[in-house]
Amino acid sequence: MSMIYRVNMSDLSVKSEAPSGGLLEAGGRELTSTMVASEVPPTCHPLSAENKLVIAPGLLTGTGAPCSGRLSVGAKSPLTGTIKESNSGGMGAIALATVGVKCIVLEGKPEKGKLYRLVVNTEGITIEAANDLAGLGNYDTVAKQFERFGDKVSCLSIGQAGEMQAAAASIAVTDVEGRPTRHCGRGGLGAVMGSKGVKVIVVDPAGGQRPKPLDAEAFKAGAKKFKECLDKHPLTGEGLAKFGTNALANVINAAGAYPTRNFSEGQFEGTEAISGERQHDVIVERGGKIAHACHRGCTIKCSRIYVDEQGKYITKGPEYETIWAHGANCGIDDLDAIAHMDRMDDDLGLDTIEMGATIGVAMEAGIIPFGDVKGALGLLQEVAKCSPMGHLLASGADVLGKAYGVSRVPTVKGQAMPAYDPRAVKGVGVTYATSTMGADHTAGYAVATNLLGLGGTVDPLKPEGQVELSRNLQIATGSIDSVGLCVFIAFAALDDAEAGEAVCQMLSGLLGRPVSGDDYMAIGRRVLTQERKFNKAAGFTEADDRLPDFFKTEQLAPHNATFDVSDKELDEVFNFID
Ligand code: SF4
């Protein structure tokens, strides 16, 4: 049986316990949100000893189910003050599942200025002093672990931003090549890890065993069917591998929903230069890699390896959101410069969406002009230097906007919006407004139906139907995040009922009992119910489920649209919760 490990950073002790009750069959987001909701005082300071960082592989992770290597990390967020679950690809979750870790709970707080490494293997968890890693970026931090522990381990680490306990700090997870390129980016969970004094968690899967389904035949049949569904869908079978997530750039720009220069326009004149098609050509010409999997067992392979003109590695991807955040949102159309910013974010341990949005607000504030590549790289250098300006920037868009008196700040509950303007994709606007996580596209990706025609059609420019769309997607995402599947499987699942059936079949095989579609969706409802309850107890009300005023008053070209889903309708999103 996989175990819950409690690592107390106040007295440097480790205890293990067997999961019981509802935790037995919980994984990923259900596990992190259940534990945070039941064990963390909702009104505590997110960087205090009372907060807990819960790290959990998904329920299917490690079983060999296609695209099931997600790692969920949960805590009370320093960025939003809400409950938070942020998940990532990479090899960390599979390694943890292999050594029998149900979840790791980091509790308490060590003496100020002390840093530690956790070593996780089949024997359990040990805590080692690691002050020699102080001030290192993620790339150097993981290189030192590979030197000492060999190249089969996986690492979860924080960069300088996490050590600064900055609200935009991420937790890096190493990928198939051992690079710290996959991130639990959103919500500042790297700051919580920093507050616990944990610089890196090294997971050595040697001698471990993958979780074994109780009904191996049923599981195998479900996994086979699921792979076939993913393979035959045009996006999960081919499109994402060829053009990556950044295939969206031209599509979203054509729809007038590509936020440009800090959400002041809906189309960017430089889109072609930073599009997925252009990125594909650059990568192929230079000898980089397309169709790259961030973890073993991913069949979609949306990732890529981006190299410079000499063929030297710069970074992974970058992904659509990152290219938009540092590109169109900042008026920048230079793919190489964006790749360098992505590399800096990954190394410093920063959420790329939050940092792109923050630089956009800095440009709005006049700190540097829109389109200033050197200036944008310089701002990231301020974070690297841990200067006062660096601290301000790494606190996120909301804090910088307040410090500089900027009124156009695209955040909800303190978290920056991703790459879709909610005036032109109203379904995702409903998700931004109401998600338990603050503005988050992955929490209920209504773009799929609003703009990509997946799972039906709902006019992106009209308020009708958006609440129901967002509600259903938020529930489905709660389930996907809990079983540990990559959210991109939803592209196939929205179009093909067989894909959903295959997921239930895999779960039935794993648990050795029938799991219906209703059982599966019930996971998402349970997750959202607990998260809403936590947020309410932390002081959040329906008044927090709103977009910033400028989305309701400033028209967005070319559709001259405003966000007009009424407050009353927004309050209906969670009508299934008592
Ligand atoms: S589809 Fe992309 S993000 Fe998802 S698991 Fe595969 S490579 Fe990682």
Side-chain angles (χ1 to χ4, degrees), residues 535-559:
N535 288 351
K536 195 172 172 199
F540 288 84
T541 69
E542 285 167 342
D544 296 297
D545 291 339
R546 304 289 183 257
L547 297 186
D549 280 350
F550 76 89
F551 288 108
K552 297 173 216 163
T553 55
E554 287 182 20
Q555 290 191 340
L556 182 76
H559 301 293

Side-chain angles (χ1 to χ4, degrees), residues 19-64:
S20 58
L23 299 185
L24 260 174
E25 292 187 354
R29 180 172 167 188
E30 184 176 23
L31 191 52
T32 64
S33 286
T34 301
M35 295 194 76
V36 173
S38 61
E39 298 187 15
V40 174
T43 53
C44 76
H45 193 290
L47 302 177
S48 71
E50 289 180 297
N51 200 5
K52 298 189 183 190
L53 191 77
V54 185
I55 301 165
L59 193 57
L60 285 167
T61 303
T63 59

Side-chain angles (χ1 to χ4, degrees), residues 312 405 478 491:
K312 192 167 160 255
F491 290 135

Side-chain angles (χ1 to χ4, degrees), residues 79-270:
L79 186 75
T80 63
T82 64
I83 199 166
K84 173 64 67 176
E85 183 265 359
S86 185
N87 64 62
S88 161
M91 288 300 294
I94 295 173
L96 284 169
T98 303
V99 294
V101 171
K102 182 86 172 166
C103 68
I104 298 173
V105 187
L106 299 186
E107 307 177 332
K109 201 169 172 168
E111 214 178 292
K112 204 174 173 191
K114 300 268 181 166
L115 275 182
Y116 295 92
R117 164 177 41 236
L118 306 187
V119 182
V120 187
N121 53 34
T122 51
E123 307 283 301
I125 299 181
T126 48
I127 306 173
E128 298 178 355
N131 269 57
D132 57 313
L133 302 176
L136 294 185
N138 280 312
Y139 275 86
D140 285 343
T141 298
V142 303
K144 282 181 179 286
Q145 311 317 308
F146 288 116
E147 267 170 34
R148 178 168 157 199
F149 295 95
D151 61 3
K152 303 286 186 292
V153 300
S154 296
C155 297
L156 281 60
S157 60
I158 55 170
Q160 294 91 335
E163 285 188 55
M164 287 157 70
Q165 300 179 34
S170 64
I171 297 172
V173 181
T174 47
D175 60 18
V176 175
E177 288 80 18
R179 293 175 175 136
T181 60
R182 321 310 302 189
H183 288 246
C184 294
R186 309 245 61 198
L189 297 185
V192 181
M193 188 155 148
S195 76
K196 305 295 181 202
V198 177
K199 177 74 176 173
V200 62
I201 301 174
V202 180
V203 190
D204 185 352
Q209 274 200 337
R210 297 278 185 102
K212 280 203 173 67
L214 290 175
D215 182 345
E217 284 311 306
F219 176 82
K220 221 168 124 189
K224 184 169 176 277
K225 186 154 86 176
F226 188 51
K227 182 178 179 307
E228 285 165 6
C229 292
L230 295 176
D231 285 351
K232 73 179 183 215
H233 192 275
L235 276 178
T236 52
E238 195 183 344
L240 282 165
K242 187 164 183 194
F243 295 113
T245 51
N246 198 30
L248 283 167
N250 276 325
V251 177
I252 306 301
N253 189 58
Y258 200 42
T260 299
R261 287 177 276 274
N262 191 33
F263 287 77
S264 61
E265 297 154 79
Q267 288 181 316
F268 180 47
E269 66 285 355

Side-chain angles (χ1 to χ4, degrees), residues 17 78 170 477 505:
E17 66 197 42
S170 64
T477 307
Q505 211 173 333

